[in-house]
């Protein structure tokens, strides 16, 4: 019952001067609110990025020329040995990579696309017919090009969602319309569904055409042996647990094809979809913790505010303390009473801070339609515990000072 009585007295003392109590809690409110908001936004960004990578396809492996340490493919030196369509066909051989469900290749470059006097600069992806299956990317109008289109080097093209909006601002039906790519006529056969941002930029601001058409008619990018170059090879693995085995099989196959000796370094990179998600997840997770730690500095300021006001309370209630001791209160009773008041201030500020942080997280989610801040229960409970601990820590000195007052001197205090 002593604890309940002490809590009741603490609540009454805090309610006696509401404005001062609220101002004292302000540091805790802002600190907890900032921690909740920033951690929720950070986790939301982490989830958004993870979803974007997951949208690239199912159980994907990416095979690219050169080493990752050389930087992005566009910045790697020209001496890097290119990948070819023959490499893609070798990987697609079920006798060499039995766990490869689908394989596609992609050659990427920038092009100018014109229609009705309007020109947009977009990324062109010259791909193989298996591309939409591997990347899990469907059309919203028309259909993807076929094996026949690829074999006959047809001048057909599909538009990314943003490219379609730029070239057909009045939402006209685009299929069978004509656009010019680098001043060459192409027939639109479909529009890809919106994918949003992703590795390499805005995936919706692009066009897609057969690899054979692009290499023969637009890019003229071939190896000295006359083989078609590709920027990246996508390999969809049948089951996620087979990804490490398939990665090892592809590595061995590529080393054999490229004549790499046993101790020599690979001149290509194989990265799994899970690797990309893990790397970005680790980076964003560390950033979230860093932001939360910065916001937690406000809790320190709030704790100093609690210590200051509790020292003032000790001075104001000196005679009360003397009277309580005179009627039998022990030092421990006075110590516990003031500790409970400090912790009550911090806990109340913590609850108000959680409400503030949650509101800010919801506001950010509302402002950005495709983004959702993730408010975690662990962040809430941790913030409340830390806030209460701050109140306890910074309340120890004022409580100890109150408990050490001499009752005779306290009763004489004016």
């Amino acid at each position: 019952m002593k604890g309940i009585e002490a809590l009741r007295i603490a609540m009454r003392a805090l309610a006696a001067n509401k404005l001062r109590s609220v101002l004292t809690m302000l540091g805790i409110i802002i600190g907890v609110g900032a921690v909740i908001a920033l951690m929720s936004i950070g986790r939301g960004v982490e989830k958004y990025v993870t979803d974007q990578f997951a949208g690239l396809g199912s159980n994907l492996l990416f095979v690219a020329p050169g080493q990752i340490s050389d930087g992005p493919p566009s910045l790697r030196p020209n001496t890097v040995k290119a990948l070819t369509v023959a490499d893609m066909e070798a990987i697609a051989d079920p006798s060499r990579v039995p766990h490869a469900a689908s394989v596609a290749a992609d050659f990427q470059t920038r092009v100018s696309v014109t229609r009705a006097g309007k020109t947009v600069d977009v990324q062109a992806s010259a791909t193989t017919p298996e591309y939409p299956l591997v990347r899990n990317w469907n059309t919203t109008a028309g259909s993807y090009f076929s094996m026949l289109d690829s074999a006959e080097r047809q001048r057909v093209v599909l538009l990314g969602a943003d490219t379609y909006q730029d070239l057909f601002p009045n939402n006209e039906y685009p299929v069978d319309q004509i656009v010019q790519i680098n001043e060459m006529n192409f027939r639109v056969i479909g529009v890809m569904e919106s994918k949003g941002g992703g590795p390499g930029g805005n995936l919706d601001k692009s066009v897609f055409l057969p690899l054979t058409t692009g290499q023969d008619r637009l890019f003229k990018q071939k190896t000295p042996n006359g083989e078609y170059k590709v920027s990246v090879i996508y390999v969809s693995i049948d089951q996620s647990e087979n990804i490490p085995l398939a990665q090892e099989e592809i590595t061995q196959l590529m080393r054999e094809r490229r004549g790499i000796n046993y101790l020599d370094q690979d001149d290509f990179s194989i990265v799994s979809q899970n690797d990309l998600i893990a790397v970005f997840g680790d980076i964003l997770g560390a950033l979230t913790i860093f932001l939360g730690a910065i916001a937690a500095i406000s809790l320190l300021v709030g704790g100093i505010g609690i210590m200051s006001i509790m020292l003032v309370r000790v001075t104001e209630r000196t005679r009360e303390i003397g009277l309580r001791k005179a009627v039998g209160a022990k030092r421990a009773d006075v110590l516990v009473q003031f500790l409970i008041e400090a912790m009550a201030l911090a806990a109340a500020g913590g609850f108000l801070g959680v409400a503030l942080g949650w509101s800010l997280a919801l506001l950010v989610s509302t402002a950005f339609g495709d983004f959702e801040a993730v408010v975690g229960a662990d962040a809430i409970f941790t913030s409340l515990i830390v806030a209460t601990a701050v109140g306890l820590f910074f309340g120890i000195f004022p409580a100890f000072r109150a408990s050490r007052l001499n009752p005779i001197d306290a009763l004489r205090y004016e």
Side-chain angles (χ1 to χ4, degrees):
M1 293 298 293
K2 282 187 176 181
I4 297 176
E5 181 63 18
L7 182 60
R8 186 184 65 82
I9 295 172
M11 292 296 101
R12 187 171 60 191
L14 297 179
N17 196 326
K18 297 181 180 64
L19 180 59
R20 185 168 67 181
S21 297
V22 171
L23 292 177
T24 304
M25 293 186 295
L26 197 57
I28 300 293
I29 294 172
I30 293 174
V32 172
V35 169
I36 294 294
L38 289 177
M39 290 192 70
S40 300
I41 293 171
R43 288 180 175 180
V45 172
E46 187 176 349
K47 179 178 180 297
Y48 178 79
V49 172
T50 300
D51 290 343
Q52 291 299 313
F53 278 110
L56 292 176
S58 300
N59 303 327
L60 273 185
L61 290 177
F62 303 85
V63 185
Q67 286 292 307
I68 296 176
S69 57
D70 297 331
S74 59
L75 299 179
R76 293 174 189 171
N78 292 329
T79 54
V80 172
K81 187 176 180 180
L83 296 176
T84 66
V85 172
D87 291 327
M88 179 201 71
E89 293 170 346
I91 294 173
D93 183 352
S95 66
R96 296 305 306 267
V97 188
H99 297 296
S102 300
V103 183
D106 182 5
F107 182 84
Q108 301 171 355
T109 189
R110 304 295 296 184
V111 297
S112 295
V113 185
T114 303
R115 177 185 178 270
K118 182 170 184 177
T119 300
V120 294
D121 182 45
V122 299
Q123 177 176 277
S125 289
T127 69
T128 54
E130 297 82 7
Y131 182 82
L133 177 63
V134 173
R135 294 293 303 272
N136 191 26
W137 200 346
N138 301 315
T139 59
T140 56
S143 59
Y144 211 77
F145 55 81
S146 64
M147 293 291 292
L148 183 61
D149 292 327
S150 180
E152 294 182 349
R153 296 164 171 73
Q154 293 290 329
R155 287 188 290 179
V156 293
V157 65
L158 293 98
L159 308 178
D162 287 354
T163 306
Y164 163 66
Q165 291 295 333
D166 290 340
L167 297 176
F168 296 84
N170 298 321
N171 293 324
E172 302 171 56
Y173 188 65
V175 176
D176 290 332
Q177 299 288 328
I178 300 298
V179 298
Q180 288 79 41
I181 301 178
N182 290 356
E183 301 182 352
M184 185 176 295
N185 286 344
F186 278 75
R187 179 172 61 89
V188 177
I189 61 172
V191 176
M192 304 299 290
E193 65 181 0
S194 178
K195 280 279 189 177
N202 185 359
L203 300 176
D204 294 336
K205 206 168 187 63
S206 52
V207 294
F208 304 85
L209 58 149
L211 177 62
T212 51
T213 304
Q215 294 285 32
D216 271 0
R217 300 177 182 271
L218 289 175
F219 316 133
K220 310 295 183 183
Q221 294 286 336
K222 294 185 178 181
T223 67
N225 296 331
E227 296 183 90
Y228 291 126
K229 289 184 180 181
V230 296
S231 302
V232 62
I233 298 172
Y234 305 96
V235 186
S236 178
I237 308 305
D238 53 5
Q239 296 180 9
S240 58
E241 56 267 25
N242 292 328
I243 289 177
L245 177 59
Q247 194 165 357
E248 181 61 31
E249 292 169 346
I250 295 172
T251 299
Q252 185 61 37
L253 172 62
M254 293 298 294
R255 288 179 65 87
E256 290 178 7
R257 288 185 55 79
R258 297 163 87 85
I260 301 174
N261 295 325
Y262 175 69
L263 295 177
D264 291 344
Q265 186 181 31
D266 295 340
D267 60 359
F268 58 91
S269 302
I270 302 177
V271 182
S272 73
Q273 189 176 10
N274 294 335
D275 291 338
L276 294 176
I277 293 174
V279 169
F280 277 86
D282 290 344
I283 294 172
L284 293 172
L287 180 60
T288 299
I289 294 173
F290 178 70
L291 292 175
I294 292 177
I297 294 175
S298 299
L299 291 174
L300 178 63
V301 176
I304 294 172
I306 288 177
M307 178 184 286
S308 300
I309 204 63
M310 291 307 297
L311 287 172
V312 172
R313 287 183 184 277
V314 170
T315 303
E316 291 177 343
R317 297 164 61 186
T318 300
R319 286 178 61 85
E320 176 193 329
I321 296 168
L323 182 60
R324 293 188 65 188
K325 284 193 169 186
V327 297
K330 299 177 181 179
R331 285 183 177 179
D333 296 328
V334 177
L335 179 70
V336 169
Q337 180 62 55
F338 278 86
L339 283 179
I340 288 177
E341 290 186 18
M343 293 171 65
L345 268 174
F351 279 106
L352 292 174
V354 168
L356 174 63
W358 203 320
S359 299
L360 290 174
L362 291 176
L363 182 63
V364 171
S365 297
T366 304
F368 301 94
D370 295 335
F371 175 80
E372 181 181 0
V374 180
V375 182
D378 58 336
I380 293 175
F381 287 121
T382 302
S383 297
L384 290 175
I385 291 172
V386 170
T388 306
V390 165
L392 174 63
F393 178 79
F394 285 96
I396 288 176
F397 176 69
F400 180 75
R401 185 171 177 177
S403 69
R404 299 288 294 178
L405 287 176
N406 187 291
I408 297 175
D409 294 336
L411 287 170
R412 290 176 179 172
Y413 183 80
E414 297 293 338

